[in-house]
Every structure is written in structure tokens, then in C-alpha cells.
Amino acid sequence: MAPFSIGLCVLVLDLVTTPPVWVTTSGFSIQSFVVYVKYENNDSTKQLIQDKLIEKAKELLSTTNLSVSEIAYQLGFDYAQSFSRLFKTKTEVSPLEFRRSFN
């Protein structure tokens, strides 16, 4: 099972970026959005969503005292371990190691 659903992905993109509001309000289908993302970013939608999640996670880790589990839940992950694994894959450090670099 994926750590997040397509509905949550649209919500996350809406929360962490400005433009994606048009996805749900303009009548564009999710498929059109996927094609647009690939065309504009030369990247997969999954990759874009993961990058935005990590960007938001970094912000939360560096500016709040929320636990890693709380951040994972806030970003839509069912399991903190799934979040930590993705974070480490993308950044080469664990969420706690990343947070420690700010202290």
C-alpha cells in the first residue's frame, strides 16, 4: 500500500504549493494534472509530490517541536516509519538527524 492516496496528494499539493488549487476548482481531471506536471517539470507526479512532502517536512522539522510521528501524520502518512524511510531516501539523513543539524 502506498503511503498516501491520490486524493491526499492533491490536498498535500494544495497545502504546500500555491498553483495546485486549480486542480480541484477548474474542472481539470487528475489525469490532465498528471500530464501537465510531467510536461512542465519533466518529472513524474509521484516524484513531485514526494519532493513537496519532503520540503514541507524539512520546514516542520526545522521550525517546530512536533515529533517525527506527528509530522508524518500531519503530512498524511499512516506510519511514521514510511515517512522516515522516504525522508532518508530523499535526503540521505533521518528526520531526527536533519533536526539535530539545526540545534
Side-chain angles (χ1 to χ4, degrees):
M1 174 176 237
F4 41 82
S5 67
I6 192 68
L8 179 60
C9 294
V10 172
L11 175 63
V12 168
L13 283 172
D14 190 21
L15 292 173
V16 298
T17 64
T18 308
V21 173
W22 65 265
V23 174
T24 56
T25 60
S26 67
F28 282 94
S29 68
I30 296 297
Q31 291 80 11
S32 296
F33 175 66
V34 169
V35 170
Y36 174 80
V37 167
K38 279 188 168 189
Y39 176 76
E40 288 295 316
N41 298 295
N42 198 23
D43 218 347
S44 73
T45 307
K46 179 180 176 183
Q47 184 70 37
L48 176 67
I49 291 166
Q50 288 178 346
D51 291 347
K52 293 297 179 181
L53 283 169
I54 297 304
E55 185 180 307
K56 186 66 175 176
K58 285 179 174 181
E59 177 188 328
L60 292 170
L61 286 164
S62 62
T63 62
T64 72
N65 290 324
L66 294 172
S67 70
V68 172
S69 295
E70 290 170 319
I71 291 171
Y73 178 75
Q74 200 172 76
L75 294 177
F77 287 84
D78 291 329
Y79 304 102
Q81 184 179 11
S82 297
F83 163 71
S84 294
R85 189 174 336 145
L86 176 65
F87 191 92
K88 187 160 187 167
T89 298
K90 295 289 186 177
T91 65
E92 299 182 356
V93 295
S94 73
L96 287 177
E97 290 170 327
F98 179 84
R99 176 172 273 162
R100 283 188 208 118
S101 71
F102 286 92
N103 296 331

